[in-house]
Amino acid sequence: PNEKPVDPNGRVVCQVELILVKEHNGVQFTASTLANQAGRSHAPGPSHGHTPLPGEERETWGKKIDFLLSVIGFAVDLANVWRFPYLCYKNGGGAFLVPYMFFMVIAGMPLFYMELALGQYNREGAAGVWKICPIFKGVGFTVILISLYVGFYYNVIIAWALFYLFSSFTGDLPWVHCNNTWNSPNCSDLWAFNTSLNDSHKSTPAAEYFERGVLHLQDSEGIADLGLPRWQLTSCLGVVIVVLYFSLWKGVKTSGKVVWITATMPYLVLTVLLLRGVTLPGAIDGIKAYLSVDFLRLCEAQVWIEAATQICFSLGVGFGVLIAFSSYNKFSNNCYRDAIITSSINSLTSFFSGFVIFSFLGYMSQKHNVPLDKVATDGPGLVFIIYPEAIATLPGSSVWAVIFFIMLLTLGIDSAVSTSQHGSISLNTDFWGRLMLYLTGKLEGGIYVFTLLDHFAAGTSILFGVLIEAIGIAWFYGVDRFSDDIEEMIGQRPGLYWRLCWKFVSPCFLLFMVVVSFATFNPPNYATYTFPMWANVIGWCLAISSMSMVPLYAIYKMCTLPGKFCDVSRFYINLLY
């Protein structure tokens, strides 16, 4: 039998847990203490505003560098390689850096800093952090849904890269000639845009390999005719999901080690490709075009809009990943310094990758004797058609192809691991959610599903989510209270600049971007294919499904809180003042 402890006077000592509950702005903060009957405490509870349950400990990063590499790996993704260099070239070259850096300073960095501080202080994920203002918890569900939708098609890109990698292990790359079974009579070994062809229907071997050899678009007439699954691509997607699973199965302890390879490898490969690219004929002309300054382009509104859009999406704010990553930090970690370092590295990587891309595009322009704007493009066409074709003309082309697609794989896996683990509700939810489109992404017409998801899943909805997040923190929770939280963590209160950005500048910027995204909306298309109206309706339903989480949860919270509806409404309105 167990004997109960007794004090020197022979009385039985019983330990009880005293729980102090403090309610502030509708949020309950708890602290617990173990005490004996005499009232002497034995174990103090948590002293900070974030309140893990008694006996529950939040997992932490093994090393600080694990966190930094994870954030860098998530923020630096495929868009840094295939979108920023093209936008820079298209919008005035070096002049594009003016609006880009302007929006980075007034919106990108402040929002990046805000999410890191929010997660670190509250030690919760994208939904859990809204215990600070429960009516805004729908924002957390919004970003979770967006991350889930993005995962549906982002893994498809990684599967394409894996397929290309396997195809590169050959002496003669399959996208070099027109004598393959998938080639059409329109295939020409000459450059398709060379004016000497006088035939706009001609296509290159690289273009036909991607569209006919990999995607089998010739067997599909559109999104209404998806066709049959392709076992090769389905197998590649299966490999990707297995890799993601084993990268995540032990949480940050595992993923924190994976990023040592996946976050650093792209920089090594980019450097190797740059050293090779600058030695090619025409490379310097391509780099000059990339950096050419045309300040007159700054008078065009579209240049500023594209710079603002690039900032919103390149840093990765609004996906819930930064909040979740920082929640595994130590409470006293300097999140301010982390925000400056990682956001700066992200932008520098985008700029650096432009030298790599345009050195090869300049080479392609000279080799085929066509203007640079005929070969400069963005998106999947750059990395799966233009760049492979440029690599195929080099001595030892198979080696360079392997190196390039390894880079794409590491760039993609980094972001996919982050989104899978920290943006979704759980690994099981994300895994089964991906299986819903497992075959769809690999069907002969799967590119149409990919294009539709890419257009609607994380466009306006992600901007809306970040806007509501900024309003919730700045105007309802309060900038002053948020600044107090940061001072409690790092011992330094955010300066006036940061507080003004959080309260006024960033919300206004995001509101402007939401309005612009609606005003400038264009229906999706793939090459010459235009999506039918019903497909656009499905796309908008997808976007609205995530955005609707904000008002739906707010209504639910207002209805379930005790008191009359008008009293509850008055309470939240008073938080604004």
Side-chain angles (χ1 to χ4, degrees):
N2 295 328
E3 295 184 1
K4 296 182 178 180
V6 295
D7 64 8
N9 297 324
R11 294 176 298 183
V12 175
V13 177
C14 296
Q15 286 188 340
V16 295
E17 183 179 27
L18 303 178
I19 301 180
L20 174 65
V21 180
K22 177 183 177 184
E23 185 164 336
H24 183 64
N25 288 347
V27 187
Q28 288 187 345
F29 298 89
T30 64
S32 62
T33 251
L34 286 178
N36 57 26
Q37 284 180 324
R40 291 175 294 185
S41 63
H42 290 271
S47 59
H48 304 299
H50 62 294
T51 56
L53 295 173
E56 178 183 334
E57 294 225 0
R58 182 74 167 175
E59 188 179 11
T60 58
W61 296 101
K63 296 179 181 179
K64 173 64 176 290
I65 190 66
D66 294 350
F67 165 70
L68 292 177
L69 288 177
S70 295
V71 173
I72 292 170
F74 163 69
V76 177
D77 64 356
L78 294 168
N80 293 77
V81 174
W82 76 28
R83 181 158 177 80
F84 176 84
Y86 175 74
L87 287 179
C88 193
Y89 164 74
K90 189 179 78 169
N91 293 297
F96 180 73
L97 297 177
V98 174
Y100 179 83
M101 293 306 300
F102 174 73
F103 289 126
M104 167 66 81
V105 171
I106 69 165
M109 282 186 173
L111 293 171
F112 201 91
Y113 181 18
M114 181 186 73
E115 289 205 348
L116 290 186
L118 182 64
Q120 182 172 307
Y121 185 83
N122 293 284
R123 300 183 67 76
E124 296 278 0
V129 294
W130 290 104
K131 62 187 179 184
I132 62 176
C133 193
I135 199 172
F136 281 89
K137 192 172 183 177
V139 179
F141 297 125
T142 293
V143 301
I144 286 171
L145 272 180
I146 291 173
S147 296
L148 191 63
Y149 295 156
V150 170
F152 288 160
Y153 69 88
Y154 199 83
N155 283 354
V156 173
I157 303 175
I158 306 173
W160 290 343
L162 184 62
F163 184 88
Y164 267 79
L165 177 63
F166 289 150
S167 302
S168 300
F169 289 98
T170 177
D172 192 11
L173 294 175
W175 55 83
V176 174
H177 303 296
C178 290
N179 56 356
N180 302 288
T181 56
W182 57 79
N183 290 126
S184 71
N186 292 328
C187 183
S188 172
D189 290 333
L190 298 175
W191 181 247
F193 294 103
N194 194 316
T195 54
S196 64
L197 290 175
N198 294 321
D199 191 345
S200 60
H201 297 289
K202 292 293 184 180
S203 58
T204 63
E208 290 214 343
Y209 178 73
F210 179 60
E211 296 185 344
R212 299 175 64 88
V214 178
L215 303 180
H216 275 230
L217 278 184
Q218 70 273 18
D219 298 324
S220 172
E221 296 181 358
I223 195 168
D225 177 27
L226 294 177
L228 299 173
R230 299 209 55 234
W231 70 266
Q232 299 94 332
L233 295 181
T234 303
S235 301
C236 288
L237 183 57
V239 172
V240 170
I241 292 178
V242 170
V243 170
L244 292 180
Y245 175 81
F246 282 103
S247 299
L248 300 172
W249 72 321
K250 289 188 178 180
V252 296
K253 300 297 183 183
T254 304
S255 61
K257 298 300 180 288
V258 171
V259 294
W260 281 80
I261 298 174
T262 57
T264 57
M265 179 65 74
Y267 292 96
L268 175 61
V269 175
L270 282 173
T271 303
V272 172
L273 289 174
L274 178 62
L275 294 176
R276 182 66 182 97
V278 295
T279 64
L280 298 173
I284 302 302
D285 295 332
I287 293 175
K288 286 181 179 179
Y290 171 55
L291 296 177
S292 63
V293 178
D294 182 6
F295 284 110
L296 292 178
R297 297 298 304 278
L298 298 182
C299 299
E300 301 176 16
Q302 188 63 27
V303 174
W304 293 81
I305 291 173
E306 292 195 342
T309 305
Q310 179 65 14
I311 284 295
C312 288
F313 295 115
S314 67
L315 289 177
V317 294
F319 286 92
V321 176
L322 299 176
I323 293 175
F325 271 154
S326 61
S327 71
Y328 298 109
N329 279 332
K330 295 179 180 178
F331 185 77
S332 59
N333 176 67
N334 192 333
C335 54
Y336 168 69
R337 181 180 57 200
D338 294 344
I340 299 298
I341 292 174
T342 50
S343 59
S344 299
I345 289 176
N346 176 71
S347 296
L348 290 173
T349 303
S350 298
F351 185 62
F352 175 67
S353 65
F355 289 91
V356 181
I357 297 300
F358 274 86
S359 63
F360 278 86
L361 292 182
Y363 163 66
M364 288 291 290
S365 174
Q366 178 171 312
K367 180 176 178 61
H368 296 287
N369 194 27
V370 294
L372 186 64
D373 60 353
K374 295 295 184 181
V375 295
T377 185
D378 65 342
L382 174 64
V383 295
F384 292 113
I385 297 177
I386 303 297
Y387 219 86
E389 183 168 12
I391 289 175
T393 63
L394 302 176
S397 56
S398 296
V399 175
W400 291 109
V402 168
I403 292 174
F404 176 71
F405 289 112
I406 285 177
M407 181 192 71
L408 292 188
L409 280 173
T410 53
L411 282 172
I413 287 175
D414 251 351
S415 296
V417 166
S418 304
T419 305
S420 298
Q421 182 176 4
H422 304 292
S424 300
I425 298 174
S426 67
L427 180 60
N428 286 333
T429 303
D430 188 56
F431 181 80
W432 291 107
R434 285 161 195 264
L435 286 182
M436 292 169 55
L437 287 182
Y438 182 88
L439 292 179
T440 305
K442 301 295 108 189
L443 294 173
E444 292 160 347
I447 186 64
Y448 302 116
V449 179
F450 169 87
T451 304
L452 194 69
L453 286 171
D454 185 38
H455 199 81
F456 287 101
T460 303
S461 54
I462 196 72
L463 296 173
F464 173 80
V466 182
L467 170 63
I468 302 302
E469 178 183 294
I471 292 174
I473 295 297
W475 289 93
F476 283 80
Y477 184 63
V479 167
D480 290 336
R481 188 178 296 119
F482 187 56
S483 300
D484 291 340
D485 295 345
I486 294 176
E487 185 177 14
E488 183 181 350
M489 289 189 296
I490 67 177
Q492 180 181 355
R493 191 176 180 81
L496 179 63
Y497 167 77
W498 297 103
R499 298 200 301 273
L500 288 176
C501 284
W502 288 330
K503 188 151 191 172
F504 300 108
V505 180
S506 295
C508 290
F509 165 79
L510 290 166
L511 179 61
F512 167 76
M513 289 305 304
V514 170
V515 172
V516 166
S517 67
F518 278 110
T520 61
F521 171 78
N522 290 313
N525 65 281
Y526 180 79
T528 58
Y529 176 78
T530 301
F531 284 80
M533 179 58 68
W534 63 264
N536 284 279
V537 171
I538 291 176
W540 275 114
C541 289
L542 195 73
I544 293 172
S545 68
S546 57
M547 292 188 285
S548 64
M549 292 294 103
V550 173
L552 289 178
Y553 189 86
I555 294 172
Y556 160 77
K557 197 65 181 178
M558 298 281 277
C559 293
T560 55
L561 283 176
K564 296 182 179 179
F565 183 81
C566 58
D567 295 331
V568 175
S569 301
R570 191 180 302 112
F571 168 78
Y572 278 105
I573 292 174
N574 289 336
L575 291 180
L576 290 169
Y577 302 100

